[in-house]
Amino acid sequence: MRSPLLVRHLGRVPYAEGLQLQEQLVAERQAGRIVDVLLLLQHAPVFTMGRNARAENVLLSADALRERGFEIFETGRGGDVTYHGPGQVVAYPILELPAERRDVHRYVRDLEEVMIRACADYGIAAERIAGKTGAWVGTDKVGAIGVRIARWVTSHGFALNVANDLDAFGLIVPCGIQGHGVTSLSRLLGREIDADEVAVRLAGHLAAVMDLEIVAS
């Protein structure tokens, strides 16, 4: 029998609020008080700095970014700097990895698979690039990953570009990777794709890849 997964669609959530909710859920999951949870949401425009972020990968000063309406946060996830904004589906799985799946690299590959399958639903052939994380279409990244695992409970997760404004990525070196661009489902298809619809598909794919069963809240 598959373990349960509670999926919560939160709409637009300020980054600080999403971070606090994750911390609460991680503590509850570690204590065994809740089942696995998947948070699906969108953030107001924000740049987040991972544990390995380098200052030179942010091309404007913090003050200049705030003047343009962007928040900036340092986070406990892996990776470098990335951007979140409306129209991008952000997924935060709070999962207790079972013994047979306690491999960080495998977990990252699993999250890549979730995004690759979601892209395939729309006829987009996303793939992996050796030595890099995320989901890619050619040399452009369509989905980014940055995770944290504490006592084998996961947090943070992945972000799939669906219908978001991609110009903000020009203010950073996304994920610290030079020579690559970013894209979105809407740009690739030449039409507006509904982010909420994609979020539902991502939940289904995560459940399938992680061998979980979605339950009603």
Side-chain angles (χ1 to χ4, degrees):
M1 185 175 180
R2 294 186 296 171
S3 298
L5 173 68
L6 178 62
V7 178
R8 296 175 60 181
H9 295 266
L10 302 180
R12 191 176 299 187
V13 176
Y15 188 78
E17 183 179 320
L19 195 60
Q20 182 180 41
L21 179 57
Q22 286 185 77
E23 292 170 352
Q24 293 171 350
L25 292 174
V26 165
E28 291 183 23
R29 189 68 187 97
Q30 289 172 335
R33 291 193 291 266
I34 60 171
V35 300
D36 290 336
V37 179
L38 172 62
L39 304 178
L40 291 162
L41 50 95
Q42 298 178 44
H43 283 309
V46 60
F47 292 105
T48 67
M49 311 285 288
R51 292 192 303 271
N52 303 318
R54 299 173 64 179
E56 60 265 33
N57 289 329
V58 181
L59 305 181
L60 294 179
S61 69
D63 287 342
L65 290 174
R66 292 189 183 98
E67 287 174 3
R68 295 184 181 209
F70 298 100
E71 291 189 293
I72 308 169
F73 280 89
E74 293 185 1
T75 77
R77 63 164 173 80
D80 206 291
V81 60
T82 195
Y83 166 75
H84 299 308
Q88 179 194 65
V89 178
V90 179
Y92 294 137
I94 314 297
L95 315 176
E96 182 177 40
L97 296 177
E100 67 275 12
R101 302 187 82 105
R102 290 183 174 178
D103 180 316
V104 176
H105 295 289
R106 177 182 178 179
Y107 178 60
V108 171
R109 301 290 87 78
D110 285 340
L111 296 186
E112 290 171 344
E113 181 65 22
V114 171
M115 291 191 288
I116 288 169
R117 292 187 186 188
C119 289
D121 289 341
Y122 294 89
I124 295 170
E127 58 187 359
R128 297 175 178 87
I129 291 182
K132 297 178 173 61
T133 62
W136 301 78
V137 179
T139 59
D140 292 337
K141 180 177 277 192
V142 69
I145 293 174
V147 303
R148 178 181 174 86
I149 300 177
R151 289 165 47 192
W152 295 110
V153 173
T154 68
S155 58
H156 297 276
F158 62 90
L160 185 65
N161 297 331
V162 178
N164 44 312
D165 179 5
L166 300 176
D167 289 345
F169 287 101
L171 302 176
I172 60 173
V173 179
C175 304
I177 301 173
Q178 298 277 2
H180 290 273
V182 291
T183 191
S184 67
L185 301 190
S186 293
R187 174 173 287 185
L188 290 164
L189 295 174
R191 59 185 174 88
E192 190 82 359
I193 304 299
D194 182 65
D196 291 336
E197 174 189 294
V198 175
V200 172
R201 292 179 180 273
L202 286 168
H205 290 309
L206 182 83
V209 169
M210 301 302 295
D211 197 27
L212 301 169
E213 182 173 0
I214 295 174
V215 296
S217 58

